[in-house]
Amino acid sequence: MTAAVDDELWSAVGDPTRRRLLDLLLRDGPGTATSLSREVPVTRQAVAKHLVVLDRVGLVHASASGREVRYGVDEAQLARAVAQLRSVGETWDRRLGRIARLAEELQRERDRDAGTDG
Amino acid sequence: MTAAVDDELWSAVGDPTRRRLLDLLLRDGPGTATSLSREVPVTRQAVAKHLVVLDRVGLVHASASGREVRYGVDEAQLARAVAQLRSVGETWDRRLGRIARLAEELQRERDRDAGTDG
DNA sequence: GCTATTGTGCAACAAAAGGTTGCGTTGGTG
DNA sequence: CACCAACGCAACCTTTTGTTGCACAATAGC
């Protein structure tokens, strides 16, 4: 697990600005670096760089339209990213659950010992 | 959403090395920078820095034990992080679902039009 | 058609994050 | 006591994230 490809997707959605860009693109549909930069607290150039990163991992696709460059979300790839989030979350959940159950068992044993003892 | 606190937790678990450290701590129980560094491809110092980051956001806690410094996962905080992963995943899922349904509707309309047309 | 505007791309630069090496210190152990 | 193992600190390098400045292309308006 946690292979190179996974890590790429993760670090792509790991950045807060990139997460917000994906949110905006999902909410409002395709947009340009300029239009997106009006809704995040960074410059157009910073947004453009993030879009390059997102494009590189396939989470968005560019399409020229006149002098503009519109970016849209690749739904299949985003679904894949979501699946990875879920996967990690579930792994941790399972381990947390196991720890919780183990703690309970130890507690029960301790109670039992205390009972036989007193 | 995506407030500052959320972003801190996110970027903490966004790093692949830190995710692996959390995995190891969950799997094997508390460990030191030195013990952990034997299971990840980075130096002890790099691990120590990551542990500082994880400590700062409350995902792990340090406890001195002789000359060693053991770090253990804070389960409540990790559960919170998992909840945030899930939350973002669900948000995107919903939006993807809405887009998918919209696309289906448009497709049906198109089919219907084609039917009345032909 | 010419000009002003607007959107892009590129380059140089700064600051922060992730990582390395080297060194000094300290706490257990033979 | 001498040694080894773990720690912290500091200097340094590279990549990422962000900035500013500038040059260029396409569009809109006169």
Side-chain angles (χ1 to χ4, degrees):
Chain A
M1 306 290 158
T2 316
V5 184
D6 294 23
D7 281 358
E8 276 188 18
L9 259 187
W10 257 98
S11 55
V13 302
D15 183 90
T17 303
R18 281 195 287 268
R19 257 196 329 279
R20 192 169 310 231
L21 291 179
L22 288 172
D23 269 343
L24 288 169
L25 289 177
L26 273 181
R27 201 189 61 187
D28 307 334
T32 69
T34 302
S35 72
L36 288 168
S37 70
R38 281 190 286 261
E39 314 206 39
V40 293
V42 298
T43 60
R44 171 184 65 88
Q45 286 82 347
V47 171
K49 289 184 189 177
H50 282 303
L51 288 173
V52 168
V53 174
L54 290 173
D55 198 355
R56 216 168 40 211
V57 300
L59 280 168
V60 302
H61 292 306
S63 68
S65 153
R67 71 172 152 176
E68 293 187 343
V69 180
R70 306 200 84 74
Y71 287 86
V73 174
D74 183 312
E75 301 172 16
Q77 190 73 345
L78 185 60
R80 219 162 293 150
V82 170
Q84 286 183 15
L85 294 189
R86 195 173 353 248
S87 160
V88 171
E90 282 173 4
T91 300
W92 285 347
D93 261 353
R94 267 197 305 276
R95 294 205 174 137
L96 286 175
R98 206 171 298 156
I99 289 170
R101 280 194 299 276
L102 202 60
E104 275 178 39
E105 276 183 39
L106 288 174
Q107 187 58 47
R108 269 199 297 276
E109 281 183 30
R110 229 169 293 137
D111 290 351
R112 201 167 44 236
D113 290 356
T116 57
D117 204 38
Chain B
M1 309 289 155
T2 318
V5 184
D6 295 23
D7 282 358
E8 276 188 17
L9 260 186
W10 256 99
S11 53
V13 301
D15 183 272
T17 303
R18 282 196 288 267
R19 263 201 318 284
R20 192 170 309 231
L21 291 179
L22 287 172
D23 269 343
L24 289 169
L25 289 177
L26 273 180
R27 200 190 62 187
D28 307 335
T32 68
T34 303
S35 72
L36 289 167
S37 71
R38 281 190 287 261
E39 314 205 39
V40 293
V42 298
T43 60
R44 170 184 65 87
Q45 285 82 346
V47 171
K49 288 184 189 178
H50 283 304
L51 288 173
V52 168
V53 174
L54 290 173
D55 199 355
R56 218 168 37 212
V57 300
L59 280 167
V60 302
H61 292 306
S63 67
S65 152
R67 71 173 153 175
E68 293 187 342
V69 180
R70 305 201 85 76
Y71 287 86
V73 174
D74 183 313
E75 301 172 16
Q77 189 73 344
L78 184 60
R80 218 162 293 150
V82 169
Q84 285 183 15
L85 293 189
R86 193 174 355 247
S87 161
V88 171
E90 283 174 3
T91 299
W92 285 348
D93 260 353
R94 267 196 305 276
R95 295 206 173 135
L96 286 175
R98 206 170 300 157
I99 290 170
R101 280 194 300 276
L102 202 61
E104 275 178 39
E105 276 182 39
L106 288 174
Q107 186 58 47
R108 270 198 299 275
E109 281 183 29
R110 228 170 292 136
D111 291 352
R112 199 166 47 233
D113 289 358
T116 57
D117 204 38

